[in-house]
Amino acid sequence: MADRRLFALVSMLIGISIILIYSLSVYTTILFGVNEFHFAIRQTIFGFLSIFVIWLLAQGDPDKLLTPIGFTLFIGSAILMVAMPFLPEFLVSAVGGAKRWIKVFGFSLAPVEFFKVGFVYFLAWSFSRKLGHHGGMGVKEEFIRFIPYGLIFVGAMFIIAIVQNDLGQVVVLGLTLLFMLMFAGSSFRFFLTLLIGALIFFLFFIFTAEHRILRIKSWWALAQNSVLEIFPESVAAQLRVPTEVEPYQIGHSLNAIHNGGLFGVGMSNGTFKLGFLSEVHTDFILAGLAEEFGFMGVLVVVIIFVLMIQRIFKIANRTEDSRIYLFSLGIAFLLAFAFLVNAYGISGITPIKGISVPFLSYGGSSILAASIGIGMVLMASKKTKMD
């Protein structure tokens, strides 16, 4: 029997999402001249569809269905991402010159969201067959063993970061790959080596794109006052960024969080959603949650999310199948890193990456892809002994 607690926790997050989308999208509906329930209805459709998909996948036989579904997501989404720049405009939606969404029956779906789930399954399937404990191997031997996966990741990184101009997704996928490698049996020394290499590549991508440099400067403008206090004034003066690049979005996000206090201003009573945070129902949904429901509201969501991750870890730990073990861990890492990257971004700790909050942010692709991942984990959980 599939893990019912995990199903219940995910369903709770989806239900909370529908309420938040209705409450926080009021300004956006006026801005686009649509019905006040427009975004809430669309989120409700995808929410119930996602819950049904989770339930449906949970009924399947993991020995027969996991691999076909995983490879369909991996290969199919990769083909779509490669083809998207060449597709006509009536089939794709572009933002900032990057084509990221395919139009399907009046909705827009982002193949990268489904690719992430497929990529995690491919890694789990391949790691379980090719990798094992490092057994005293040197870093050079481990690196040679890793080269095929590195090439695949570089290819995915090129498509996502360069063609689709979406570095945030690369960060989440890269972190997931690193941690899956470690749990697959690689040494901690090799893990650190890859982590340092990833940071170098990350800096390379930042400093080769002007808009990313401006984003880093905007973030630093907000964080610099507290950080530079520990440096001598002569050093601090060289590192200080002019205040005119202060990131107004992060500033409004922090003000919304502060305005919410302990218990919030009440549902629909938030003010920073009224044009100050232009994407409050998507990337800044945690800031909107904090303003209207306060610290306690955020705490409830975090507890549900942590319990969800804990249930996935428990499924991983109670299986003897290394493929299911690694896939479950990968989905948990994928969801956890996305949540953390978003939370750190809207609170000013790190630069904003444009990553949605799993199961909370508005967007059919994100919620449906994450639900497919959870459904596959639930399908796999039937091979474990859960309490």
Side-chain angles (χ1 to χ4, degrees):
M1 182 178 295
D3 184 20
R4 293 178 178 177
R5 294 185 189 178
L6 177 57
F7 179 79
L9 290 167
V10 174
S11 299
M12 289 171 63
L13 286 175
I14 293 175
I16 292 172
S17 170
I18 294 171
I19 296 172
L20 287 175
I21 298 304
Y22 168 70
S23 177
L24 298 177
S25 63
V26 55
Y27 175 80
T28 310
T29 59
I30 297 174
L31 183 65
F32 288 100
V34 294
N35 184 278
E36 63 176 313
F37 297 102
H38 176 80
F39 293 103
I41 290 175
R42 293 168 76 92
Q43 188 74 354
T44 301
I45 292 173
F46 274 102
F48 278 96
L49 176 61
S50 296
I51 292 174
F52 174 74
V53 166
I54 295 173
W55 175 83
L56 185 64
L57 288 173
Q59 311 308 308
D61 184 348
D63 293 324
K64 295 180 180 179
L65 296 178
L66 271 182
T67 298
I69 294 173
F71 273 90
T72 298
L73 291 171
F74 177 59
I75 298 174
S77 299
I79 293 173
L80 286 176
M81 288 194 298
V82 171
M84 282 176 69
F86 308 102
L87 295 178
E89 292 187 1
F90 71 89
L91 286 178
V92 296
S93 300
V95 174
K99 296 180 178 180
R100 300 180 183 174
W101 292 273
I102 293 180
K103 299 176 182 177
V104 180
F105 302 115
F107 296 92
S108 296
L109 296 178
V112 67
E113 297 290 350
F114 302 91
F115 174 80
K116 290 188 297 184
V117 177
F119 184 67
V120 166
Y121 184 81
F122 165 75
L123 292 179
W125 174 83
S126 187
F127 285 175
S128 66
R129 292 160 55 91
K130 304 292 184 180
L131 301 187
H133 194 271
H134 55 88
M137 296 173 63
V139 172
K140 180 180 178 181
E141 288 76 12
E142 288 193 81
F143 182 78
I144 293 174
R145 189 173 63 168
F146 170 73
I147 286 177
Y149 306 104
L151 292 176
I152 293 174
F153 179 73
V154 169
M157 183 173 62
F158 175 81
I159 296 172
I160 299 172
I162 303 299
V163 178
Q164 297 198 340
N165 195 23
D166 194 354
L167 185 59
Q169 300 286 10
V170 173
V171 171
V172 172
L173 272 181
L175 288 171
T176 302
L177 169 61
L178 285 176
F179 278 81
M180 286 184 68
L181 261 175
M182 187 169 67
F183 281 90
S186 295
S187 66
F188 187 68
R189 184 172 55 176
F190 181 64
F191 171 80
L192 288 179
T193 302
L194 286 182
L195 182 60
I196 294 172
L199 289 174
I200 294 173
F201 273 106
F202 181 68
L203 292 174
F204 170 78
F205 276 107
I206 289 176
F207 290 108
T208 53
E210 185 178 353
H211 73 280
R212 294 188 183 118
I213 295 176
L214 291 175
R215 185 174 293 179
I216 293 295
K217 287 183 176 180
S218 296
W219 164 73
W220 180 244
L222 183 72
Q224 63 183 352
N225 290 334
S226 57
V227 175
L228 294 180
E229 290 179 354
I230 64 176
F231 291 94
E233 183 56 35
S234 58
V235 177
Q238 298 296 322
L239 297 175
R240 195 173 301 279
V241 172
T243 56
E244 56 262 25
V245 297
E246 182 177 351
Y248 69 92
Q249 281 283 69
I250 298 179
H252 289 319
S253 175
L254 292 175
N255 288 333
I257 295 171
H258 179 266
N259 191 45
L262 187 60
F263 296 104
V265 298
M267 181 176 172
S268 299
N269 292 329
T271 56
F272 285 90
K273 65 185 179 184
L274 303 177
F276 298 98
L277 288 172
S278 58
E279 299 178 359
V280 66
H281 63 302
T282 56
D283 296 346
F284 287 88
I285 195 165
L286 290 179
L289 169 67
E291 183 182 20
E292 297 199 347
F293 296 92
F295 171 80
M296 297 306 297
V298 175
L299 181 62
V300 169
V301 167
V302 169
I303 289 174
I304 295 174
F305 202 91
V306 169
L307 290 175
M308 176 187 71
I309 299 298
Q310 185 264 344
R311 295 303 297 181
I312 301 176
F313 281 156
K314 183 170 287 189
I315 290 171
N317 289 330
R318 296 194 177 186
T319 181
E320 297 179 356
D321 189 327
S322 58
R323 174 190 50 137
I324 292 175
Y325 168 75
L326 290 172
F327 176 69
S328 299
L329 287 179
I331 292 297
F333 289 139
L334 199 66
L335 298 175
F337 287 138
F339 188 96
L340 290 175
V341 167
N342 182 281
Y344 287 165
I346 63 105
S347 56
I349 298 175
T350 62
I352 297 174
K353 292 293 189 297
I355 295 292
S356 60
V357 182
F359 301 113
L360 285 184
S361 295
Y362 174 78
S365 299
S366 174
I367 192 172
L368 187 56
S371 296
I372 291 175
I374 292 294
M376 293 173 69
V377 171
L378 283 174
M379 184 193 302
S381 74
K382 296 196 299 186
K383 296 188 67 175
T384 65
K385 294 181 179 180
M386 302 297 296
D387 51 20

